[in-house]
Amino acid sequence: MTTADPAAVLLAEGELTVRGRIREASNAALYCTVTHEGREAACVYKPVAGERPLWDFPDGTLAGREVAAYLVSEATGWGLVPPTVLRDGPHGEGMCQLWIETAPDTELLALVDREEPAPGWKAIGFAEVGEGRTALLVHADDARLRRLAVLDAVINNADRKGGHLLPTRDGRLHGIDHGVTFNVEDKLRTLLWGWAGEPLTGEAREVLEALGKALAEGGPLAASLAPLITPAEIEATRARVASLLTSGTHPEPGGDWPAIPWPPV
């Protein structure tokens, strides 16, 4: 992958050393360091050989989808997905993504014992919390999350869980784990439904207009995505961008696919 991003160059060209395994990951995910020309960084390496087969995605395609999500994120200018490349590694070809250190004291999701969200929060839905009790699941009414909700709608993210949200101490927010994205069928499954049906921001509409041009036949983003996802998936991405612009609103949950991932965190 050709890119001017120094972090992506480091990931693509550096020497990759496995330091351990991230055991809570559903697919093989290895914690690594990568070194190149005196620079070093921590990263996550997910080899294609360690991907579990899925009924609704072709085998061996999750790593490419992770990279495709990064490229779309970069095209938005929002920088929501950490630098991600496809490269060879100790266990064969796989996805390599910059490791993000999080700010653990940042609260983006909560369960509250009330019927309506408090100011500054958006309702997701009610969840069972045991002994026949329910609580309201909410997420922060945060501009960074709202941008991520738009990105997820574009890439058709089927698994936006709370654990995939990584706020950092410098105030940024990153989303990770984008292996189940870009399906041609509508599979949007997310915790970020708080803006469902609300008008898109002016910023989001401008970004979507630019994405539409970049995704057009012969456009730079379409060309970058071509080695990673299928022509039908690129066309479906174009269609989702066009649909968002036509509706002018955040999407709402459909009835043919679970709207919220499980477990939600």
Side-chain angles (χ1 to χ4, degrees):
M1 185 179 84
T2 302
T3 177
D5 187 332
V9 172
L10 172 61
L11 293 172
E13 300 180 6
E15 180 179 354
L16 197 60
T17 303
V18 176
R19 303 296 182 184
R21 183 168 183 174
I22 303 171
R23 299 202 174 273
E24 60 268 26
S26 56
N27 295 289
L30 305 174
Y31 178 76
C32 302
T33 54
V34 60
T35 57
H36 181 62
E37 296 182 348
R39 299 180 64 216
E40 180 175 293
C43 60
V44 177
Y45 163 53
K46 297 181 182 179
V48 171
E51 295 179 4
R52 295 190 307 168
L54 298 172
W55 68 268
D56 53 347
F57 285 85
D59 293 350
T61 66
L62 305 191
R65 295 172 194 279
E66 296 245 29
V67 179
Y70 165 66
L71 295 178
V72 175
S73 169
E74 288 300 284
T76 66
W78 288 333
L80 293 167
V81 178
T84 312
V85 303
L86 195 65
R87 59 161 292 168
D88 194 27
H91 300 284
E93 186 179 61
M95 179 278 282
C96 190
Q97 184 175 82
L98 189 69
W99 181 266
I100 301 297
E101 293 291 343
T102 63
D105 54 342
T106 303
E107 190 174 32
L108 297 174
L109 296 165
L111 276 169
V112 296
D113 188 17
R114 53 190 302 161
E115 296 295 316
E116 298 290 338
W121 293 87
K122 289 284 190 176
I124 303 168
F126 288 94
E128 293 186 8
V129 292
E131 299 180 354
R133 295 178 56 249
T134 61
L136 183 63
L137 182 61
V138 297
H139 66 68
D141 187 2
D142 185 303
R144 301 168 302 172
L145 287 180
R146 191 165 189 172
R147 289 172 173 174
L148 192 58
V150 173
L151 176 65
D152 283 343
V154 170
I155 66 176
N156 197 16
N157 191 353
D159 195 32
R160 174 62 71 206
K161 296 178 179 177
H164 301 166
L165 305 174
L166 304 183
T168 61
R169 295 192 184 281
D170 63 0
R172 298 188 63 186
L173 176 72
H174 296 276
I176 61 168
D177 284 352
H178 297 105
V180 287
T181 50
F182 295 101
N183 202 297
V184 295
E185 299 178 3
D186 181 14
K187 291 185 179 290
L188 183 60
R189 188 166 58 169
T190 176
L191 286 177
L192 304 180
W193 287 117
W195 298 282
E198 293 188 15
L200 296 166
T201 65
E203 177 195 47
R205 288 193 296 271
E206 290 179 5
V207 164
L208 290 168
E209 292 279 4
L211 279 181
K213 294 176 182 177
L215 283 166
E217 291 281 356
L221 183 55
S224 296
L225 294 177
L228 302 168
I229 58 177
T230 69
E233 288 166 342
I234 294 174
E235 181 57 37
T237 305
R238 291 189 191 106
R240 288 191 295 271
V241 170
S243 178
L244 286 166
L245 285 168
T246 299
S247 71
T249 62
H250 287 268
E252 298 185 74
D256 298 329
W257 182 252
I260 297 176
W262 190 263
V265 177

